Amino acid sequence: MGVGLGLVLSVVFALCAAFSNALATVLQRRAALSVPQSRGFRLGLVVDLLHRPVWVAGMLAVVVGGVGQAAALATGPLSLVQPLFVLELPLALLLASLAARTRLPGALWLAVAAVVAGLGVALAAAAPSGQREHVSPDRWIPALVACAGLALLLVAVGFRRPNGKARAGCLGAATAVCYALTAGLMKSAVAVLASDGLLAFLTEWQTYAFAATGVCAVLLLEHAMQGGPLVASQPALTLGDATVSLLLGVVLYQEHVRTGWWLLPQLLGVGLIVGGVLVLARRGTDLRHEAPKAPEREAPAA
């Protein structure tokens, strides 16, 4: 497979995965709002959600998105594939508006256009290229420690905040770190699968590591969606995932992005993305009205 064709396929697979993940976010958000809110980390939340068909449908969309992501990572650089998942936010809001049978105002359409245009400009200017298929343990250990420490810090801060945008944002950012780390580990495991076969894949530590971090990411995402509005958790998730993934691609897989005067259009693209995301976060569709919210387990004091 030529390099050009591989990059095209990685983009197509990543876009399909982003759509599936956006659909999963909308479905999981709707399901999460139908169960009693938890004041802390609660493993039983997933048990409650398993009884809701809409959440199961969301998880199926997650699986489809995971397959698309694996295919994208197998054919393209981490620093190209993961930033494309920034599109999850506008896609999720568009799907949410369709589910709620409401129309997005013109300002939000402009914000969506800014995110799409900014992403195109930034990636075209950066032109991510080059990648190592195997990462040595001396590179993995610092990355794992740093990602785990950052995720735990964000979780601790998030659970100290009451339900609202701050809590959802912190938990969304923690989810982003887990998703980015999952992608980095998945890329390594998929490379082993492609080169050495299924048996080697099943004996590779990265295979079980990305499965574990993926489960953590899903569980954190459910709490992020319960902890506050989607427009707080989703921007933190999408922007954080892109940022951490770019760093992991450069540090772990020694991927290259263009520098010099190319930084100017890259900064322009990033500015459009951030500006569009902030508008979407401030004025975007709040999905709370899509499903009746279950009462708290503890009634407020009279």
Side-chain angles (χ1 to χ4, degrees), residues 18 24 32 58 73 130 161 282 286:
L73 291 171
R161 304 290 296 178
R282 185 171 62 251
D286 188 345

Side-chain angles (χ1 to χ4, degrees), residues 21-32:
N21 288 345
L23 177 61
T25 296
V26 174
L27 295 174
Q28 290 173 323
R29 169 72 176 174
R30 186 169 185 175

Side-chain angles (χ1 to χ4, degrees), residues 17-18 21-22 25 84-93 234 237-238:
N21 288 345
T25 296
L84 288 170
F85 285 87
V86 167
L87 296 175
E88 283 185 25
L89 174 57
L91 286 171
L93 293 177
Q234 192 71 16
L237 172 60
T238 52

Side-chain angles (χ1 to χ4, degrees), residues 122-157:
L123 288 179
S129 62
Q131 54 179 321
R132 296 176 54 140
E133 291 190 354
H134 302 287
V135 179
S136 60
D138 63 318
R139 288 180 177 270
W140 268 122
I141 292 174
L144 292 172
V145 172
C147 288
L150 180 57
L152 288 174
L153 177 61
L154 289 167
V155 169
V157 172

Side-chain angles (χ1 to χ4, degrees), residues 140 182 184-193 197-214:
W140 268 122
T182 299
L185 291 163
M186 180 188 293
K187 182 173 181 60
S188 182
V190 169
V192 171
L193 176 64
L198 181 60
L199 181 59
F201 173 79
L202 293 176
T203 57
E204 190 75 7
W205 69 268
Q206 288 95 330
T207 301
Y208 301 96
F210 90 69
T213 54

Side-chain angles (χ1 to χ4, degrees), residues 17-279:
F19 178 84
S20 295
N21 288 345
L23 177 61
T25 296
V26 174
L27 295 174
Q28 290 173 323
R29 169 72 176 174
R30 186 169 185 175
L33 291 177
S34 67
V35 300
Q37 285 191 334
S38 56
R39 299 186 184 277
F41 192 80
R42 183 167 67 88
L43 293 173
L45 174 61
V46 174
V47 177
D48 292 339
L49 291 170
L50 281 171
H51 295 88
R52 287 156 174 81
V54 68
W55 186 82
V56 176
M59 289 305 300
L60 290 177
V62 168
V63 172
V64 173
V67 172
Q69 182 183 23
L73 291 171
T75 52
L78 182 67
S79 54
L80 170 66
V81 171
Q82 289 304 110
L84 288 170
F85 285 87
V86 167
L87 296 175
E88 283 185 25
L89 174 57
L91 286 171
L93 293 177
L94 291 173
L95 290 172
S97 68
L98 290 175
R101 297 182 181 179
T102 60
R103 297 180 62 181
L104 291 181
L108 292 187
W109 280 112
L110 288 176
V112 170
V115 172
V116 174
L119 183 62
V121 170
L123 288 179
S129 62
Q131 54 179 321
R132 296 176 54 140
E133 291 190 354
H134 302 287
V135 179
S136 60
D138 63 318
R139 288 180 177 270
W140 268 122
I141 292 174
L144 292 172
V145 172
C147 288
L150 180 57
L152 288 174
L153 177 61
L154 289 167
V155 169
V157 172
F159 280 130
R160 290 178 65 88
R161 304 290 296 178
N163 285 342
K165 290 184 178 180
R167 179 171 184 164
C170 286
L171 296 180
T175 306
V177 175
C178 290
Y179 272 137
L181 184 58
T182 299
L185 291 163
M186 180 188 293
K187 182 173 181 60
S188 182
V190 169
V192 171
L193 176 64
S195 61
D196 300 326
L198 181 60
L199 181 59
F201 173 79
L202 293 176
T203 57
E204 190 75 7
W205 69 268
Q206 288 95 330
T207 301
Y208 301 96
F210 90 69
T213 54
V215 169
C216 290
V218 170
L219 189 55
L220 280 174
L221 179 60
E222 303 303 338
H223 285 81
M225 290 188 292
Q226 261 208 336
L230 175 68
V231 294
S233 59
Q234 192 71 16
L237 172 60
T238 52
L239 291 176
D241 186 1
T243 302
V244 177
S245 295
L246 178 62
L247 293 174
L248 291 177
V250 172
V251 172
L252 292 177
Y253 292 97
Q254 297 185 332
E255 297 169 357
H256 305 285
V257 294
R258 290 193 288 204
T259 56
W261 73 270
W262 287 105
L263 291 175
L264 293 178
Q266 290 174 37
L267 291 174
L268 173 62
V270 170
L272 287 172
I273 294 171
V274 173
V277 166
L278 289 177
V279 172

